[in-house]
Amino acid sequence: MISFIEAFKKELEAEAIQTRRMLEIVPTDKMDWRPHPKSMNIKTLATHLAEIPLMIVMGLKHDKWDFGNSPYKAANCNNTEELLACFDDCIAEARIALDESTDDILQNPWVMCSGDQVWLTLEKWETFRHAMGQNAHHRAQLQVCLRLLGIPVPGPYGPSADEM
């Protein structure tokens, strides 16, 4: 029988391939573009997507992610190459966190907060699931942005309309 950690490793690897395919086509000359004034620009969105694996690290290695006591500074990826390097580094950190974890910690509590303001209270296993949900969500947002710019996009779970 496969452990949850082993299953998470397999899922991370499969999703990393698809996320990297999206990040590879982010155009450096459109980093400031945004589809709507309330939307993130492509640089912010793509950088956030590249850094999502760090949530897995925080969820498995720590009991809390407190932005109030330890402010998070996003990477500054100014071109596609920097974006891919950031993603590769974050995936590497997530792999290490998974390698160093066992199923016996997965029901321990984990909190994302800013001081006394609690945003999420999850079990550690749920932080992995939440990160994968965030990955799919933000990858889809990026896909729409790229499509609006006329850039053909890959389909993550089968061919996209651009690949048919």
Side-chain angles (χ1 to χ4, degrees), residues 22 25-27 33-36 39-40 42 45 49 136-154 156 160 162:
M22 288 296 294
I25 60 173
V26 171
W33 186 86
R34 68 182 72 223
H36 186 275
S39 299
M40 289 183 268
I42 285 181
L45 176 59
L49 179 59
H137 167 72
H138 291 301
R139 192 169 64 206
Q141 284 183 311
L142 181 59
Q143 185 181 48
V144 169
C145 289
L146 296 174
R147 182 160 278 140
L148 288 170
L149 290 169
I151 298 168
V153 296
S160 72
D162 297 317

Side-chain angles (χ1 to χ4, degrees), residues 108-120:
N108 293 350
W110 182 82
V111 175
M112 179 187 279
C113 61
S114 181
D116 292 335
Q117 183 181 12
V118 175
W119 296 324
L120 287 173

Side-chain angles (χ1 to χ4, degrees), residues 6-23:
E6 290 303 316
F8 291 164
K9 287 178 183 181
K10 288 178 74 166
E11 185 174 359
L12 178 69
E13 295 307 321
E15 292 299 315
I17 290 167
Q18 301 311 320
T19 299
R20 195 170 208 294
R21 288 176 68 206
M22 288 296 294
L23 294 173

Side-chain angles (χ1 to χ4, degrees), residues 28-132:
T28 296
D29 66 333
K30 298 292 185 190
M31 290 290 207
D32 291 329
W33 186 86
R34 68 182 72 223
H36 186 275
K38 291 183 180 179
S39 299
M40 289 183 268
N41 65 27
I42 285 181
K43 176 182 177 176
T44 303
L45 176 59
T47 300
H48 180 59
L49 179 59
E51 292 185 309
I52 286 174
L54 295 179
M55 185 176 186
I56 296 166
V57 176
M58 294 303 292
L60 293 175
K61 295 183 91 166
H62 305 280
D63 294 331
K64 182 192 294 189
W65 195 354
D66 186 347
F67 291 89
N69 292 327
S70 182
Y72 179 73
K73 181 165 173 47
N76 184 23
C77 300
N78 293 305
N79 56 54
T80 310
E81 293 75 27
E82 290 176 3
L83 193 58
L84 292 170
C86 174
F87 177 67
D88 291 343
D89 289 347
C90 293
I91 285 292
E93 286 189 51
R95 286 179 182 131
I96 291 167
L98 285 163
D99 285 342
E100 293 175 348
S101 297
T102 59
D103 283 5
D104 63 332
I105 67 159
L106 294 178
Q107 289 185 296
N108 293 350
W110 182 82
V111 175
M112 179 187 279
C113 61
S114 181
D116 292 335
Q117 183 181 12
V118 175
W119 296 324
L120 287 173
T121 301
L122 305 169
E123 290 183 359
K124 286 181 176 277
W125 73 267
E126 290 174 299
T127 64
F128 181 89
R129 299 292 336 125
H130 187 79
M132 291 294 99

